[in-house]
Amino acid sequence: MNDRRTHSFKELNLLPVWRQKSNHSERDAQSQEESSSVLYSAEDNQSIEESDQAAWLRLKQAVTDCFRCQLSETRTHTVFGVGDENADWLFIGEGPGAKEDETGEPFVGQAGKLLDKMLAAIRLKRGDNVYITNIVKCRPPGNRNPSLNEARQCEPYLMSQIELIKPKLIVALGKVAAQNLLKCDDSISSLRGKVHHFSDIPLIVTYHPAYLLRSLPEKAKAWKDLCFANATMQSLE
Ligand code: URA
């Protein structure tokens, strides 16, 4: 288990989950020394998969059982996230709305429909090489922005998701997601159009689909952001 994962899982009391295994560079160094040794045995690959599965299950259960902040008092369902658990693309919104709280799935309301269209515009589809989640996993009452403390309490869950998914690119949807991920209070207009990093993962900022529903002229800018994200992904491949 890497240090970051150990840290997030420890914070969530999810240890022990993982079977210790050497990382790529250790394996590479080892293979140079022992040229006849096998890098990955079938058994090792199997154990990694099982560990990932176990980690996902524990993480999902931890979110379902979470009472770390006051959002847990008013939620109907926690909204963990949805999609391909090995996705290259990770889209992160702000927090569940009414429909999401009702169903337990992110981005299923009007904003979600627009997000699906945005994904389709760059030939992506929910669940297919795409994972969608939020900064906070419970609905802030009245759809207010999550507080700093609420976002902080939920952060280890998001960190663990990111560590398990290992996306190539993160797209932050809206100001709340961008500011929480980048730990800044810069405006969305100043954050757009650049490749930022979350840990070592490239991160691009665009408007939240709910904002685009209210501000139709900004859709053209969001389209530009998506093309930029797509080009960035291609440069990573
Ligand atoms: N807005 C969000 O930020 N996330 C959702 O899941 C739904 C609406």
Side-chain angles (χ1 to χ4, degrees):
M1 197 181 321
N2 65 33
D3 287 350
R4 271 193 303 128
R5 178 183 286 178
T6 312
H7 181 75
S8 332
F9 277 73
K10 206 170 178 174
E11 202 172 334
L12 295 168
N13 290 324
L14 289 175
L15 287 175
V17 169
W18 221 251
R19 207 185 74 148
Q20 190 73 43
K21 204 170 184 310
S22 56
N23 62 27
H24 287 278
S25 52
E26 280 165 359
R27 279 198 295 265
D28 288 347
Q30 214 177 336
S31 72
Q32 278 166 10
E33 281 168 22
E34 309 160 24
S35 53
S36 63
S37 69
V38 180
L39 277 186
Y40 300 91
S41 72
E43 192 203 327
D44 276 351
N45 278 338
Q46 180 71 19
S47 71
I48 275 207
E49 254 170 45
E50 281 169 2
S51 296
D52 268 359
Q53 251 177 24
W56 275 114
L57 284 176
R58 279 176 195 249
L59 188 56
K60 285 173 189 171
Q61 196 58 50
V63 169
T64 304
D65 298 341
C66 181
F67 291 97
R68 288 169 72 103
C69 81
Q70 60 184 13
L71 296 184
S72 60
E73 291 164 18
T74 48
R75 74 180 176 223
T76 309
H77 292 108
T78 53
V79 180
F80 181 79
V82 73
D84 179 348
E85 292 173 354
N86 296 303
D88 288 339
W89 293 84
L90 175 60
F91 288 78
I92 304 179
E94 170 181 327
K99 197 94 188 165
E100 291 76 21
D101 178 63
E102 202 182 300
T103 60
E105 190 169 328
F107 284 100
V108 287
Q110 285 308 311
K113 292 201 175 88
L114 179 55
L115 177 61
D116 287 340
K117 286 186 189 155
M118 290 163 75
L119 295 176
I122 50 168
R123 300 214 174 100
L124 292 176
K125 208 167 108 194
R126 181 187 289 246
D128 186 1
N129 204 19
V130 170
Y131 196 91
I132 302 169
T133 190
N134 284 303
I135 294 288
V136 292
K137 312 304 188 208
C138 296
R139 181 191 183 202
N143 293 347
R144 64 164 170 76
N145 289 348
S147 71
L148 200 60
N149 177 55
E150 289 157 356
R152 260 206 203 123
Q153 295 304 319
C154 228
E155 194 174 42
Y157 299 127
L158 181 61
M159 288 297 292
S160 301
Q161 287 175 306
I162 293 173
E163 285 157 19
L164 285 166
I165 298 166
K166 299 183 199 68
K168 283 190 182 158
L169 183 69
I170 295 175
V171 179
L173 298 166
K175 187 175 83 170
V176 170
Q179 291 183 341
N180 273 288
L181 290 165
L182 297 173
K183 303 268 179 271
C184 70
D185 54 11
D186 299 358
S187 69
I188 192 140
S189 53
S190 69
L191 295 170
R192 287 181 53 243
K194 295 173 195 152
V195 180
H196 307 271
H197 285 87
F198 179 85
S199 300
D200 289 338
I201 306 166
L203 181 151
I204 284 171
V205 174
T206 190
Y207 293 107
H208 192 286
Y211 170 75
L212 294 174
L213 287 171
R214 299 190 301 268
S215 318
L216 293 181
E218 306 290 36
K219 271 192 179 173
K221 292 190 194 162
W223 167 239
K224 214 172 152 190
D225 296 337
L226 291 173
C227 292
F228 178 52
N230 215 7
T232 305
M233 177 64 91
Q234 273 161 32
S235 75
L236 300 170
E237 286 168 350

